[in-house]
Amino acid sequence: MTLAEACRILDISPKADMEQIKKQYRKLMLQFHPDVSGSSEVGYEYSVQEINLAYAVLKKGFAELESISFSEKEMSFQDNLLHWNAPTNSHAWKERDILHYAEDCEGNILGNFTIARGKYLWTAEEDFSLFLLSLYRCSQEVLDEIDASLQREEPPSLRQRIQPQLTYLLAQQFMDGTALLKELSKKVSHKKEEGGVYYLPAMLEITRSFANLKNGESLFPSRLKGHRLYLKNCAGQELGYLSFPDDRFYYIVIPLFEQRKVLVKIKAVQKPVTSGKRKTSRYQRLHLWLRFSGKAEKQLPESLNLQIRQLLEIYRQ
């Protein structure tokens, strides 16, 4: 859908500002959304789905979208998807949906809908919670196809263990950890011989009661297990595992450790983690510095199809 088409659907001027766009969108939703008006879009030539899509285009300000022609009849949405403005990984196991929130006339979220489908990498323009939902649905599609091919009446109990692992592997295919670390963290060193050092806040999720860290105390990687990086102190005592206040970094940083692409420096921060107005002893604030090892900084996202294939073979048994 072009910006001009979006303006036509919302019946606004191409020169309208965001406040005018939002006001017109809410006006149309108040008039024609069946959950609000009780009607079924009677009296307007475009569907609620088209109105939502037009609002999404204008709200995000997409500059490079493929043209979509809408039929005068009810739109078949799966046949009229957008071209999402993001890099792709042609080696990804399967295409995924790009989701967008649908809102009512008051701006309340009604649900979500698909605006594009493809092997698109995640970028900051895509809501991260919807990205995770798209990965879950993608893994669900893969396993449903296997169940159907094997004519299973019900999914096996093994699915509860396989699907989270599959979702995690798919996340790595759709996230360029190297590029995202550079984009979302703070670069604190520009020395060529170091390849750049990147800083981000982190947390220690404490699993041992004797964890009593001093400000500036160093921590070290202990082991990787279950997609968690466990940390130890200088005495070799394992205290807990690495966590992040920003969930996005879990899917960026942990795979970089698993692929042995980064070196790390970790120091404790004395300031406690708070939950509301109360202190919590479960988490310890950390300073985390990362540096790419060797030529890892220039490597492309790793193809994980072999691991996915092996995982699915287990599910087929």
Side-chain angles (χ1 to χ4, degrees):
M1 180 188 292
T2 65
L3 293 175
E5 287 173 324
C7 289
R8 184 170 65 252
I9 291 171
L10 292 189
D11 192 24
I12 58 171
S13 167
K15 297 181 180 180
D17 59 26
M18 195 60 227
E19 191 61 33
Q20 292 171 315
I21 292 171
K22 185 181 294 186
K23 183 177 180 180
Q24 177 66 2
Y25 167 74
R26 291 181 176 178
K27 176 183 175 182
L28 292 174
M29 294 298 282
L30 182 62
Q31 287 180 304
F32 302 112
H33 197 290
D35 291 344
V36 178
S37 65
S39 66
S40 182
E41 306 151 24
V42 177
Y44 198 65
E45 60 181 310
Y46 298 105
S47 68
V48 167
Q49 194 174 42
E50 289 172 293
I51 294 171
N52 269 320
L53 186 55
Y55 179 61
V57 170
L58 293 173
K59 185 178 179 181
K60 294 294 184 180
F62 298 140
E64 298 178 3
L65 295 173
E66 288 182 347
S67 176
I68 295 178
S69 58
F70 296 105
S71 65
E72 294 180 358
K73 299 180 180 180
E74 183 176 356
M75 181 179 68
S76 176
F77 192 65
Q78 291 299 325
D79 295 333
N80 294 280
L81 296 179
L82 296 174
H83 170 78
W84 185 250
N85 186 24
T88 59
N89 176 9
S90 60
H91 300 292
W93 185 268
K94 188 177 179 64
E95 293 183 342
R96 69 179 184 90
D97 292 336
I98 302 294
L99 303 174
H100 186 78
Y101 285 118
E103 301 174 353
D104 65 12
C105 59
E106 299 297 329
N108 300 313
I109 295 175
L110 296 173
N112 58 74
F113 62 99
T114 301
I115 62 172
R117 185 175 176 86
K119 296 183 177 182
Y120 296 107
L121 297 181
W122 180 80
T123 62
E125 286 73 27
E126 182 182 358
D127 183 272
F128 193 70
S129 60
L130 290 182
F131 168 67
L132 294 180
L133 177 59
S134 80
L135 295 179
Y136 176 81
R137 291 181 179 178
C138 184
S139 65
Q140 193 172 42
E141 288 177 12
V142 173
L143 298 180
D144 284 346
E145 289 170 0
I146 293 176
D147 290 340
S149 68
L150 296 176
Q151 298 182 337
R152 289 171 172 166
E153 294 183 1
E154 294 183 0
S157 58
L158 181 64
R159 182 166 180 150
Q160 296 180 1
R161 179 171 65 87
I162 294 294
Q163 187 165 359
Q165 296 181 47
L166 177 58
T167 302
Y168 182 81
L169 292 175
L170 290 172
Q172 292 183 57
Q173 289 198 317
F174 292 119
M175 297 185 77
D176 184 346
T178 300
L180 289 172
L181 181 64
K182 294 179 181 180
E183 177 185 350
L184 300 177
S185 63
K186 180 180 179 181
K187 191 170 186 179
V188 294
S189 172
H190 299 270
K191 294 181 180 180
K192 291 184 179 180
E193 61 272 18
E194 293 182 354
V197 176
Y198 300 87
Y199 168 80
L200 59 148
M203 298 185 296
L204 170 69
E205 188 155 348
I206 298 170
T207 57
R208 296 293 179 90
S209 59
F210 57 74
N212 186 17
L213 297 171
K214 298 178 181 179
N215 189 43
E217 183 175 347
S218 295
L219 295 178
F220 308 92
S222 174
R223 60 192 172 108
L224 274 165
K225 182 179 180 181
H227 308 306
R228 288 177 175 175
L229 178 65
Y230 287 84
L231 303 177
K232 61 185 178 182
N233 58 18
C234 59
Q237 298 171 316
E238 193 171 87
L239 307 179
Y241 55 87
L242 186 65
S243 183
F244 301 94
D246 185 337
D247 289 340
R248 297 177 298 179
F249 283 115
Y250 170 77
Y251 293 92
I252 296 171
V253 174
I254 299 302
L256 292 176
F257 279 110
E258 292 174 334
Q259 297 163 19
R260 300 182 179 181
K261 288 185 176 182
V262 289
L263 303 175
V264 65
K265 177 180 178 181
I266 307 171
K267 288 188 177 294
V269 182
Q270 198 163 18
K271 184 178 179 181
V273 177
T274 58
S275 177
K277 295 183 178 180
R278 296 183 300 174
K279 296 180 180 179
T280 174
S281 59
R282 185 182 177 187
Y283 297 98
Q284 169 73 46
R285 293 184 188 274
L286 302 174
H287 289 312
L288 179 69
W289 294 270
L290 295 171
R291 176 165 63 88
F292 289 99
S293 57
K295 298 181 180 180
E297 188 174 5
K298 299 180 180 179
Q299 293 177 0
L300 296 174
E302 182 180 349
S303 174
L304 301 167
N305 283 336
L306 178 59
Q307 293 183 50
I308 292 175
R309 187 175 293 109
Q310 292 172 342
L311 187 66
L312 296 182
E313 284 301 320
I314 295 174
Y315 186 70
R316 286 189 177 94
Q317 296 174 2

